[in-house]
Amino acid sequence: MSYYSYNRGGFLSNLPPAVKNIIIINVCVWIMTYLNEPLMVRLFALHPLKFIVWPWQLVTYMFMHGGLWHLFFNMYTLYFFGTVLERVWGTRKFLLYYFVTGVGAAVVHLAVQWLTGDFALTVGASGAIYGLLMGYAMLYPDSIMSLLFPPISMKAKWFVLIFAGIELLTGITNTGGGIAHFAHLGGLIFGFVLITIWKKKHTLYSRY
């Protein structure tokens, strides 16, 4: 008699479908970017002067990353928070939320770029990831979250508020160069608005 079960599917088999496939696509796009960075950046990164002609960049920028650590931290956060939200909402609703916050983050970031004259390219899933943080905090506001650095623990609602304040401050003061702070804020804002709408319609926990 065996006391242990062996899962042939491995790590990915334990993930809900949307989270699993988003991780796979992000890894594949990172490999493709490594093989031909100029082409991938030109076509799929978010360019404030080209997205009107190539509107798919509002979505594809979310699947590109500036390096392995950038990819790792975003996918780790997606795994942790996205898995919880997809199991609550179901795959379709989770995907709607993910892409609304990701595209919303791009819209906010582009607006700030046009106002400031900063026309740098943008890549990364961070806007949607911050949307997931907002979603988790609004569903589980009193759950305890722990940081590795600094090593502190706090309720999810305070965690998100502090992060929002940091992003706003660093964005206004233009510190932490190379980070799209207003995209992060955009993800938080669109996540908050979408969940607020669902709450008012009493559809927060309904599945599509």
Side-chain angles (χ1 to χ4, degrees):
M1 179 177 179
S2 174
Y3 293 94
Y4 300 94
S5 62
Y6 177 70
N7 189 338
R8 292 178 179 271
F11 165 74
L12 289 177
S13 66
N14 296 319
L15 296 178
V19 170
K20 177 177 67 176
N21 285 292
I22 290 172
I23 290 175
I24 291 172
I25 293 170
N26 273 274
V27 172
C28 290
V29 170
W30 180 80
I31 294 172
M32 293 169 64
T33 303
Y34 180 79
L35 295 174
N36 194 340
E37 184 174 354
L39 176 64
M40 294 294 291
V41 169
R42 181 170 63 89
L43 291 178
F44 303 119
L46 181 61
H47 196 300
L49 300 177
K50 293 181 179 179
F51 81 94
I52 297 176
V53 179
W54 295 343
W56 62 79
Q57 292 180 352
L58 290 168
V59 173
T60 57
Y61 90 99
M62 288 187 279
F63 295 96
M64 300 190 65
H65 289 84
L68 184 58
W69 285 112
H70 188 202
L71 172 68
F72 172 78
F73 283 115
N74 275 345
M75 294 303 98
Y76 177 77
T77 310
L78 169 64
Y79 155 74
F80 189 84
F81 295 104
T83 298
V84 174
L85 294 178
E86 185 175 353
R87 285 174 176 163
V88 171
W89 287 334
T91 298
R92 290 184 181 181
K93 191 168 185 175
F94 173 80
L95 285 172
L96 173 64
Y97 183 85
Y98 187 83
F99 284 108
V100 166
T101 54
V103 173
V107 170
V108 172
H109 180 65
L110 287 168
V112 173
Q113 282 188 306
W114 276 91
L115 289 173
T116 60
D118 175 13
F119 298 132
L121 295 172
T122 304
V123 296
S126 300
I129 296 302
Y130 271 72
L132 297 183
L133 291 176
M134 176 60 76
Y136 183 86
M138 292 185 75
L139 265 65
Y140 307 102
D142 294 322
S143 64
I144 302 299
M145 299 175 61
S146 299
L147 298 176
L148 295 177
F149 183 81
I152 58 176
S153 298
M154 67 184 76
K155 291 183 177 181
K157 58 186 177 183
W158 303 125
F159 180 89
V160 168
L161 283 174
I162 290 172
F163 263 62
I166 292 173
E167 293 298 331
L168 180 60
L169 178 62
T170 51
I172 292 174
T173 58
N174 197 28
T175 54
I179 300 175
H181 299 292
F182 286 101
H184 298 170
L185 283 171
L188 292 172
I189 292 168
F190 273 77
F192 176 82
V193 170
L194 185 53
I195 289 180
T196 300
I197 291 172
W198 285 342
K199 282 185 173 181
K200 288 183 177 180
K201 291 183 176 181
H202 304 288
T203 59
L204 180 59
Y205 294 101
S206 64
R207 293 183 172 221
Y208 294 158

